[in-house]
Amino acid sequence: MIYSILETITSFVINLISTFGYFGVFAAMAIESASIPLPSEIIMPFSGFLVTQGKFNFWLLVLVGAAGNLFGSWVMYFLGYWGQEVVVRRLIRAWGKYVLVSEKELDQAEKWFNRFGSWIIFFSRILPVVRTFISVPAGIAKIDIVRFSILTFLGSFIWSAVLAYIGVVLGENWRNIEPLFRRFDILVAIFIIILIGFFLYHKSKEFSKP
């Protein structure tokens, strides 16, 4: 089942990039950065392989990939920025007590993000899984859009360059990188689940106090 889904996604990416070239890379990376499951671990290595075929220029490819990531990140950033009161706070006010999150804690999270946000934004862009979900909390915390854009672009540029270079090195065997990144994705996801579980455990103890 999962293999079939990955094959479908891979075929879509290959067709998109093969048909539209740089614009296809931009569109695919924008879709991925908007938290839609279109893995950059497929997009950029395949595009890197096309560099060896003379279809792309390496640095222009990396630039386009990072620009696509930035565009998709803007979409999610403004969703968090403008939807904070309309969506996020209303949900917390209505359902926060059931998921052990209060409005006060949201305010604390925003202060924490404003304090350390620069580092979080940059480093999250070079990590699997979390890299596509950081934009919404950045928008909620109202991180300066210029700073957000610069850090997102720099992190995305590094990520795109690494993946594209892997595609150049592996050549026709570019797909061999997929299983490795899938395993790394799983490890990061497990780590995040453990952190959430640890948080919920301690919050449940607080809420159970008289």
Side-chain angles (χ1 to χ4, degrees), residues 60-75:
L60 181 55
L61 168 66
V62 173
L63 183 65
V64 169
N69 262 180
L70 177 59
F71 183 83
S73 294
W74 280 339
V75 173

Side-chain angles (χ1 to χ4, degrees), residues 34-83:
S35 300
I36 298 172
L38 202 64
S40 54
E41 295 92 337
I42 296 174
I43 300 165
M44 295 309 296
F46 171 67
S47 301
F49 161 63
L50 293 182
V51 170
T52 67
Q53 304 298 300
K55 305 290 186 181
F56 291 136
N57 171 273
F58 179 82
W59 290 113
L60 181 55
L61 168 66
V62 173
L63 183 65
V64 169
N69 262 180
L70 177 59
F71 183 83
S73 294
W74 280 339
V75 173
M76 303 308 291
Y77 172 90
F78 285 113
L79 176 64
Y81 189 95
W82 287 318

Side-chain angles (χ1 to χ4, degrees), residues 71-152:
F71 183 83
S73 294
W74 280 339
V75 173
M76 303 308 291
Y77 172 90
F78 285 113
L79 176 64
Y81 189 95
W82 287 318
Q84 178 188 20
E85 289 295 333
V86 177
V87 179
V88 179
R89 287 192 180 274
R90 284 187 180 180
L91 286 174
I92 288 177
R93 287 166 189 158
W95 303 98
K97 61 183 178 181
Y98 299 110
V99 294
L100 309 180
V101 176
S102 68
E103 196 170 1
K104 179 181 178 181
E105 288 166 331
L106 176 62
D107 292 331
Q108 289 297 323
E110 289 178 19
K111 292 178 183 178
W112 181 80
F113 207 108
N114 279 316
R115 183 177 178 183
F116 303 105
S118 297
W119 294 105
I120 295 171
I121 293 167
F122 176 76
F123 286 111
S124 71
R125 302 309 304 186
I126 54 178
L127 289 174
V129 184
V130 295
R131 64 186 307 276
T132 59
F133 297 103
I134 197 64
S135 302
V136 171
I140 291 174
K142 292 182 169 53
I143 298 294
D144 178 72
I145 184 61
V146 174
R147 182 170 47 155
F148 171 80
S149 299
I150 291 173
L151 293 169
T152 296

